[in-house]
Amino acid sequence: MAIIKCPGCGNNVSDKAVQCPKCGYNVANGLQNFQQQPNNEIPEVAKKFNWGAFTLLPLWGFANGMWWWIFVTIAIALIPFGGVINFALSIYMGIKGGEMAWNKKSWRDINHFTKVQEQWKIAAIVVWVITLLLLIISIFTAGAIFSSYDDYYYY
Ligand SMILES: [Zn+2]
């Protein structure tokens, strides 16, 4: 028995389950059924906060069916307070990006979508860790410069 992501809602279910206990999706019929579903509802996993979209919006957009983000963010960066606007857009896309990506791009199935978004999330975490490290290094470097200045000043 294996645990898979329900193609209907992204919840963890057993691959031996007939129906998903959360959304009622017919797991037994598999992915063919998903393609035939009349109302292509937005799955739960696409509604989650999207760290990839929030952190790496231009690149994430490019890879998730919204190539124009790369041009939009560069154009906005050139105008006054563009950084603030881009930051606001990043937050907005963190909230809405998953749903938009789900609708814009043709995904094989929800597992494909989930896997790609998880890879972007890992990339986002790497970016945040590197940013934090650079921040810590710059604080220590600044501290070292100031303390050497003190040495010079007092002796
Ligand atoms: Zn489900």
Side-chain angles (χ1 to χ4, degrees):
M1 191 188 91
I3 298 294
I4 56 163
K5 289 223 185 293
C6 166
C9 69
N11 201 33
N12 287 336
V13 287
S14 159
D15 64 346
K16 297 283 183 286
V18 177
Q19 268 198 334
C20 169
K22 200 176 168 195
C23 71
Y25 175 82
N26 193 330
V27 181
N29 279 359
L31 297 169
Q32 302 96 313
N33 191 20
F34 180 62
Q35 308 291 352
Q36 289 162 10
Q37 269 190 340
N39 57 335
N40 197 358
E41 271 185 37
I42 293 163
E44 287 299 318
V45 65
K47 291 178 185 169
K48 282 194 211 162
F49 190 83
N50 195 306
W51 286 96
F54 171 65
T55 311
L56 300 158
L57 181 56
L59 297 174
W60 176 90
F62 196 82
N64 285 276
M66 288 168 269
W67 56 268
W68 36 265
W69 268 118
I70 206 155
F71 299 103
V72 171
T73 49
I74 290 169
I76 291 173
L78 297 174
I79 64 171
F81 302 105
V84 179
I85 298 167
N86 272 335
F87 185 67
L89 282 172
S90 296
I91 295 172
Y92 178 77
M93 287 304 288
I95 297 163
K96 280 281 170 194
E99 285 182 41
M100 285 169 76
W102 175 257
N103 289 328
K104 288 252 186 261
K105 202 177 161 185
S106 49
W107 306 92
R108 279 197 300 279
D109 53 58
I110 191 156
N111 290 323
H112 177 213
F113 177 83
T114 307
K115 204 175 165 192
V116 169
Q117 299 313 317
E118 271 169 11
Q119 283 165 350
W120 278 98
K121 189 177 179 178
I122 291 165
I125 291 167
V126 169
V127 168
W128 282 112
V129 168
I130 290 170
T131 307
L132 202 66
L133 283 176
L134 288 175
L135 195 70
I136 290 166
I137 290 167
S138 63
I139 288 168
F140 273 97
T141 310
I145 290 166
F146 280 123
S147 63
S148 68
Y149 180 74
D150 284 350
D151 291 347
Y152 175 74
Y153 196 77
Y154 289 116
Y155 291 103

